Amino acid sequence: MSEDTIANLRFVAGRFEFVYPDFGLIVRGPYIEWVLEAAAEIIARTEKLRAEGSKEELTMLAEFGEPNSDMELDSLNFQTKSRFDILPQCIVSMGAIDYRWVQKDGRTSPEHVYVERLTDMSKTRSDANWLANEP
């Protein structure tokens, strides 16, 4: 599997700059989180519009009796639902620890818990409480 850089984030002239060449997108701002949030929303909305355009095109082709259009449309409908209807979730690695992140709308934890550890360190092979204070 090859690695390709698809976007760049850098600090230029006192502000953060996110560049996504596929869309000709450049987002600049004073804080990294603002820039990334703006870029994420713009990319998500653009991709959704692109998917809706493809669905419309395949629907028209299917109406004109184009072979395989129905199958391609079913496949695209599934891909679109799985991408845009499911709440965004990612694995976040910080150092040697992996966390699960879910978009704010899907969180059930208290407000201050925005990521949860993937490995539950309280579970042990025996009933030993290895997290107990040692004398």
Side-chain angles (χ1 to χ4, degrees), residues 44-74:
R45 288 178 184 235
T46 303
E47 288 292 343
K48 190 169 185 177
L49 288 172
R50 181 185 288 182
E52 289 170 357
S54 295
K55 283 171 52 173
E56 198 171 305
E57 179 182 340
L58 284 173
T59 301
M60 289 174 49
L61 286 173
E63 288 173 0
F64 291 127
E66 190 72 28
N68 296 327
S69 300
D70 290 330
M71 262 190 339
E72 290 177 34
L73 183 59
D74 288 344

Side-chain angles (χ1 to χ4, degrees), residues 88-90 92 94 99-117:
Q89 303 170 50
C90 296
V92 176
M94 293 183 80
Y99 299 89
R100 178 176 179 256
W101 172 87
V102 177
Q103 185 185 39
K104 193 172 188 173
D105 296 339
R107 297 181 194 153
T108 56
S109 300
E111 179 64 27
H112 69 280
V113 179
Y114 59 94
V115 292
E116 295 175 344
R117 260 185 128 148

Side-chain angles (χ1 to χ4, degrees), residues 8-23:
N8 286 303
L9 178 65
R10 54 192 186 161
F11 191 70
V12 179
R15 57 187 182 170
F16 292 92
E17 180 180 88
F18 177 86
V19 180
Y20 188 61
D22 283 1
F23 292 167

